Amino acid sequence: MFAPIRPRRSVLYMPGSNSRALEKARSLPCDGIIIDLEDAVAPEAKASARDQVAGVLAQGGFGRREVVVRVNGTGTPWFDADLAAIAQIAAVGAGVHAVLIPKVVDPETLRVVGRQLEALGAPSSLRLWAMIETPLAVLRALDIALAARDPVARLAVLVLGTNDLAKESGAQILPGRAPMASWLSHCVLAARAGGIEVLDGVWNDFRDLDGFGRECAAAAQMGFDGKTLIHPSQIAPCNEAFSPPEAEIAAARALIAVFDRPENAAKGVLQIDGRMYERMHADIARKRVALADAIAARG
Ligand code: COA
Ligand code: MG
């Protein structure tokens, strides 16, 4: 009924220059990793990090984890070589799933990069993820997300960059994130309008897992599919916050069963224990069950 769901609850950044972190990633329980060649790598280390990352990707071993590489920005001196290195690895079928493009502010950038990947021989399974991390990007999030309708753009996921947003906007990052809440929700809506997924930004204070847990719960309530992370300690609480609770799934299965009863086949709406349910609620329930099943299948 639904396209196979790939859980993206927890997606961990790691510097491409940090071989210890790259090695550890092969055994961490995150749904995905973002190997960073951009902000987490100093300018003088860019070329060596790219070579190291290419070697690590060719070696593989990341199992069911989705592997994403954040390249340097399209206007930087490193972009072309970054993209070529990833395309080359993807072309031989090695395990890299997406390229994360920093500071996207328009849909055309994605099409240009998509055409570059095509010319470099990257298979169409290599997708693009777009960082939304500037005021212009938030304001244009809908146009950017709608690029997903054009296969040339390869767009699959929006990723919020809240540290850059704070820097560029003057808004503060506070517990509860009131100053940014409307921007975050706007990006969730934009992603849905484009039929794609959306990941929340990072929580910097990685020793404060209580505050982090609260931010994950709020992000899940807003509709984010998952959150980007900076430290392994954040993975377990993040997975929990973005996994449908057992009680919810039990109730969802019960609701689906009621709608599936022959006597309810012609009913658009019914009540259970004094609460109204329409078929859309059964649709939501099916989607949540499919997500829970996909998570359970990861073991
Ligand atoms: N990915 C994989 N492993 C990581 C990791 C990450 N992001 N962050 C830490 N680890 C590993 C460390 O290598 C260490 O492993 P070990 O004890 O087995 O050797 C263990 O987790 C504990 O790390 P800890 O000592 O608590 O942290 P640290 O001082 O080594 O690193 C940071 C702290 C913030 C520098 C590091 O977490 C980091 O680089 N995070 C990602 C930053 C990034 O990519 N930013 C760009 C996007 S926002
Ligand atoms: Mg950034």
Side-chain angles (χ1 to χ4, degrees):
M1 184 157 321
F2 296 101
I5 291 184
R6 167 155 225 163
R8 292 190 175 109
R9 298 164 297 173
S10 52
V11 181
L12 177 65
Y13 281 104
M14 58 202 63
S17 49
N18 184 340
S19 55
R20 170 85 190 137
L22 293 167
E23 180 56 40
K24 267 192 95 102
R26 293 187 169 100
S27 61
L28 293 171
C30 47
D31 288 334
I33 61 170
I34 299 173
I35 303 174
D36 193 19
L37 296 175
E38 196 215 14
D39 288 348
V41 178
E44 54 277 13
K46 295 284 189 194
S48 62
R50 182 193 306 127
D51 290 346
Q52 168 166 272
V53 169
V56 164
L57 293 176
Q59 218 180 325
F62 293 98
R64 53 159 178 73
R65 294 164 199 81
E66 192 164 27
V67 177
V68 181
V69 179
R70 184 165 79 173
V71 294
N72 290 286
T74 51
T76 68
W78 307 288
F79 175 76
D80 286 342
D82 289 353
L83 198 70
I86 299 162
Q88 197 179 1
I89 289 153
V92 298
V96 55
H97 301 99
V99 181
L100 175 56
I101 310 291
K103 302 210 165 65
V104 173
V105 293
D106 58 68
E108 191 49 27
T109 298
L110 298 169
R111 290 193 193 94
V112 168
V113 176
R115 281 187 213 105
Q116 264 178 286
L117 285 175
E118 182 80 35
L120 288 163
S124 57
S125 57
L126 183 69
R127 310 302 300 275
L128 290 179
W129 291 16
M131 294 283 322
I132 304 295
E133 54 183 343
T134 61
L136 190 55
V138 173
L139 292 169
R140 285 196 186 147
L142 176 61
D143 284 344
I144 295 168
L146 289 178
R149 294 180 180 174
D150 179 355
V152 170
R154 299 177 183 234
L155 182 63
V157 176
L158 301 183
V159 181
L160 273 292
T162 39
N163 281 327
D164 269 295
L165 269 174
K167 176 179 165 223
E168 300 291 325
S169 67
Q172 291 179 24
I173 298 180
L174 300 174
R177 294 194 296 185
M180 287 190 185
S182 63
W183 309 346
L184 299 174
S185 291
H186 171 75
C187 290
V188 171
L189 278 183
R192 300 306 177 220
I196 57 173
E197 298 215 334
V198 57
L199 302 180
D200 192 12
V202 302
W203 171 269
N204 298 318
D205 191 1
F206 61 85
R207 305 259 184 255
D208 176 9
L209 288 179
D210 290 339
F212 172 72
R214 283 191 290 275
E215 187 162 292
C216 286
Q221 286 167 3
M222 279 180 173
F224 281 102
D225 296 289
K227 194 163 172 67
T228 47
L229 311 177
I230 53 166
H231 193 277
S233 63
Q234 297 179 325
I235 297 171
C238 186
N239 281 345
E240 179 167 355
F242 286 95
S243 300
E246 267 175 41
E248 181 197 332
I249 292 306
R253 289 190 200 280
L255 178 65
I256 295 163
V258 172
F259 269 102
D260 284 349
R261 279 188 207 146
E263 66 268 29
N264 291 331
K267 287 198 184 145
V269 60
L270 43 80
Q271 70 92 15
I272 302 172
D273 296 337
R275 210 191 145 95
M276 179 197 75
Y277 293 95
E278 296 179 89
R279 290 211 167 255
M280 72 171 91
H281 296 111
D283 292 343
I284 296 169
R286 284 196 178 88
K287 208 166 172 183
R288 296 290 282 172
V289 167
L291 175 61
D293 286 347
I295 290 167
R298 326 212 103 184

